[in-house]
Amino acid sequence: MSQEKETPATIKGRLDVLRKGLISEENSVQYYQTLIEKSPADNEEQIGARRMYEDLKNEELKHVERFRTLVDHWEKQLRSLASES
């Protein structure tokens, strides 16, 4: 990727993608939570499945945090550019 200068428009484009990605990741967290809640824990195989859903949910939570960090970063960059002009 090139190291061209960011503009308010390029940052808004980044933020648009990040916000959509954040929604997707949050939906994934909810999806795995729903699977956990709907999966019985009445045998070892189901317990294993529930544990895997929990692991996947926790991974998605990490993604949510990363997206939030990136959104925060680019919002600050946008405010910084706005204050320069």
Side-chain angles (χ1 to χ4, degrees), residues 4-63:
E4 295 180 25
K5 184 177 178 182
E6 295 289 346
T7 66
T10 62
I11 293 174
K12 287 176 184 176
R14 286 176 179 270
L15 285 167
D16 182 54
V17 170
L18 287 170
R19 288 182 179 124
K20 289 174 183 174
L22 178 58
I23 289 168
S24 177
E25 297 297 337
E26 289 171 335
N27 287 342
S28 293
V29 170
Q30 186 56 47
Y31 171 72
Y32 288 119
Q33 182 61 42
T34 299
L35 291 175
I36 292 166
E37 292 168 3
K38 292 188 177 221
S39 297
D42 55 4
N43 64 54
E44 287 189 32
E45 189 172 327
Q46 288 298 326
I47 290 168
R50 288 172 59 102
R51 287 177 181 164
M52 192 71 248
Y53 293 145
E54 186 70 33
D55 290 345
L56 292 168
K57 182 183 96 169
N58 289 334
E59 188 62 34
E60 295 299 335
L61 285 168
K62 292 177 192 174
H63 297 178

